[in-house]
Amino acid sequence: MQERYRSIVDVHVILYQDGQILLLERRATGYADGKLHLPSGHLEEGEPLHAGAAREAREEVGVALDPGHLTLAAVVHHRQREDLARVGMFFVATRWSGQPHVAEPHKAGKLVWADPSLLPSNTIDYPAAGIRAWLNNAGYVPHGW
């Protein structure tokens, strides 16, 4: 019998304020260094999606989110390479406590507030696909297939 398909589940947070979203510059990770990404990461074992999103926002940009106030914005099935796919769950937050800052300076450089409809050219394609899906009310989009 063929083994069941398994995929990495990522959680992404779109911090949205005054018509702009927060992006982080990746640094010293070995993946897309120098490019922009949303606060995000892998879902941990036994963790609900919305709690994982709130945790990642706290870990990466130091803000506290109430998981119950997050809105699921989009789902992206991303094919990273032929033998690796990921399912990205994109959540929107319009309220949080704390001032966003680089909370993991060993993994991230500067923070950038950007117009989501005019993303900087160095935004990684995968999160850009989720942001576009959110803006277009697409719900679900495949990316890289």
Side-chain angles (χ1 to χ4, degrees), residues 22-82:
L22 185 68
L23 300 168
L24 298 112
E25 180 186 52
R26 295 185 60 86
R27 159 170 101 175
T29 66
Y31 170 72
D33 291 333
K35 295 194 173 205
L36 299 174
H37 202 294
L38 294 166
S40 62
H42 302 136
L43 187 67
E44 294 181 356
E45 182 67 36
E47 184 176 50
L49 292 167
H50 63 312
R55 175 185 50 76
E56 286 293 345
R58 183 183 66 252
E59 289 175 1
E60 294 195 358
V61 295
V63 297
L65 302 174
D66 179 341
H69 292 151
L70 291 171
T71 302
L72 182 61
V75 176
V76 176
H77 194 196
H78 171 65
R79 188 172 187 185
Q80 190 164 337
R81 56 181 197 254
E82 191 165 319

